[in-house]
Amino acid sequence: MRPTVMRISLGRLIENARVLRANVAESVRMMCVVKADAYGHGAAPYALALEREGLADGFAVAIVEEGRALREAGVKGMILVLGDGGADSLREGVALDISQAVDSVEALDVLEDCARRTGVTAKAHLKLDTGMSRIGVRTDAELDRVLNAWRGCPHVAMEGCFTHFCVADTDPDFTERQNERFDAMLARVHAAGFMPIAHAAASTAMLKPAYAHDMVRAGIALYGSCMPELEGQIGGAQTLESKPSRIETIEAGDTVGYGRTFTAGRRTKVMTVPIGYGDGYPRILSNRASVLVRGRRAPIIGRVCMDMLMADVTDIEGVTLDDTVVLLGRQDGEEITPDELAALADTIPYEIMLGFLPRVPRVIED
């Protein structure tokens, strides 16, 4: 078997959740976002562990298929589908006792019809658009129309009401305006006789009491990123590692890889590692990123190939084919984080975390 593997520390993930829970008021619930296979960390094992440890008041997913996978794995608590779903998705959510985001009379009609015919109560969270311009009820007139329709849907419980901040990490003024708009729209919801769980803050706003409302949605922070306030308390849980397939010495003037983008300026020891962009390792990291060997950084040289990449290990003593190469994670006190790779790739840590493809096996540890 190829030695390339992604190791996931379940213990680190649980500790991240404990830290987040400890930094939110006891009266505020914490929903854990495990969409996109828990940002590439394994949604079912993590959700089950969070539920077992009493750290999650619910789970958020993007599509009903993700919710179904959690139910099939044995997750019992609240599951909320954050995105819009078609009629079939709405009906499946009712059958699985999964809560769903609703922002239209048409979606309400589907839920009411399905719940009435099957003799159950459907659960929904009213989605309000306060500035993201993505999904959600946007105007007061639209909101009144949905609320009026909801009064005629006795089989659909308004379990929650929520919005999403779009610049909580960069623009406090706009975020405050979004929160004020949410409060105003929430007041109309209350005046119509509904008392749902109110939630607005994801990771970057969840530690601010004014934005916590009844519940916060912990997302990227669960995976150790994008929370400078908790630096040193939360951390990454992914370790992407492999072993060399070849170590060879080239001479000064020799070139490496497709396009000959690296020319050796000295006698250079080149390590070939069996992972590439076909595994989800970003090609843009060619000649930019490093790997860890024996706790030291070895720069990637030449272009990242589909199935391989090359690194300069000239300055690392005693390297052999038995050494472990870490491409993401910690080794002997040195660390390569998703944030570091994201900065080098001109993207966000989310894309790094969940970008590795299924041919990289996941091993859940701890």
Side-chain angles (χ1 to χ4, degrees), residues 98 103 185 192 217 281 310 324 366:
I98 289 174
D103 62 0
M185 297 179 85
R217 301 187 302 271
Y281 191 87
M310 290 71 75
T324 296
D366 306 328

Side-chain angles (χ1 to χ4, degrees), residues 8 15 28 34 41 45 63 67 90 97 130 132 149 160 167 173 192 207 212-213 276 295-296:
I8 310 294
E15 182 57 27
V28 175
V34 293
H41 292 73
I63 55 178
L90 293 168
D97 190 28
T130 59
M132 184 73 146
V167 284
D173 291 336
L207 301 187
H213 297 281
R296 296 186 60 187

Side-chain angles (χ1 to χ4, degrees), residues 268-307:
T268 301
K269 189 178 292 185
V270 180
M271 171 184 284
T272 302
V273 185
I275 184 173
Y277 63 79
D279 300 290
Y281 191 87
R283 185 173 180 270
I284 197 172
L285 295 179
S286 304
N287 296 302
R288 296 185 182 187
S290 298
V291 301
L292 300 179
V293 182
R294 298 194 168 195
R296 296 186 60 187
R297 286 177 175 260
I300 292 173
I301 54 176
R303 286 183 179 159
V304 173
C305 310
M306 183 181 291
D307 314 298

Side-chain angles (χ1 to χ4, degrees), residues 14-227:
I14 291 297
E15 182 57 27
N16 288 346
R18 288 193 194 283
V19 171
L20 294 175
R21 179 65 267 180
N23 280 274
V24 176
E26 289 186 14
S27 60
V28 175
R29 306 184 202 189
M30 187 169 80
M31 174 174 279
C32 296
V33 183
V34 293
K35 62 181 180 176
D37 198 28
Y39 295 38
H41 292 73
Y46 192 22
L48 288 168
L50 288 168
E51 198 165 68
R52 182 175 63 248
E53 298 293 328
L55 292 169
D57 295 296
F59 300 96
V61 296
I63 55 178
V64 76
E65 289 86 348
E66 293 175 336
R68 183 203 313 137
L70 294 183
R71 284 284 186 250
E72 290 175 348
V75 172
K76 305 297 184 186
M78 178 201 301
I79 299 173
L80 169 63
V81 176
L82 293 169
D84 273 339
D88 288 342
S89 295
L90 293 168
R91 294 187 190 100
E92 182 170 5
V94 173
L96 293 166
D97 190 28
I98 289 174
S99 307
Q100 301 179 76
V102 165
D103 62 0
S104 70
V105 172
E106 292 73 20
L108 269 178
D109 288 342
V110 172
L111 291 178
E112 173 63 20
D113 177 68
C114 182
R116 177 179 48 78
R117 285 189 296 102
T118 55
V120 300
T121 298
K123 298 173 184 175
H125 289 225
L126 174 60
K127 179 61 185 289
L128 303 177
D129 180 5
T130 59
M132 184 73 146
S133 300
R134 186 169 60 175
I135 62 172
V137 177
R138 187 173 182 86
T139 68
D140 287 345
E142 291 172 357
L143 178 56
D144 290 343
R145 180 170 176 262
V146 171
L147 292 174
N148 287 334
W150 212 312
R151 290 193 190 96
C153 295
H155 296 90
V156 183
M158 189 188 293
E159 183 179 53
C161 181
F162 72 113
T163 193
H164 191 68
F165 298 139
C166 55
V167 284
D169 55 339
T170 58
D171 190 336
D173 291 336
F174 190 80
T175 303
E176 179 60 28
R177 292 201 296 275
Q178 277 195 271
N179 196 55
E180 290 172 355
R181 177 61 179 152
F182 182 56
D183 282 337
M185 297 179 85
L186 192 59
R188 296 179 82 89
V189 172
H190 292 163
F194 299 98
M195 295 300 295
I197 302 166
H199 51 109
S203 292
T204 52
M206 64 179 286
L207 301 187
K208 299 176 176 64
Y211 300 152
H213 297 281
D214 301 318
M215 184 167 68
V216 295
R217 301 187 302 271
I220 189 68
L222 286 170
Y223 310 100
S225 185
C226 300
M227 289 288 278

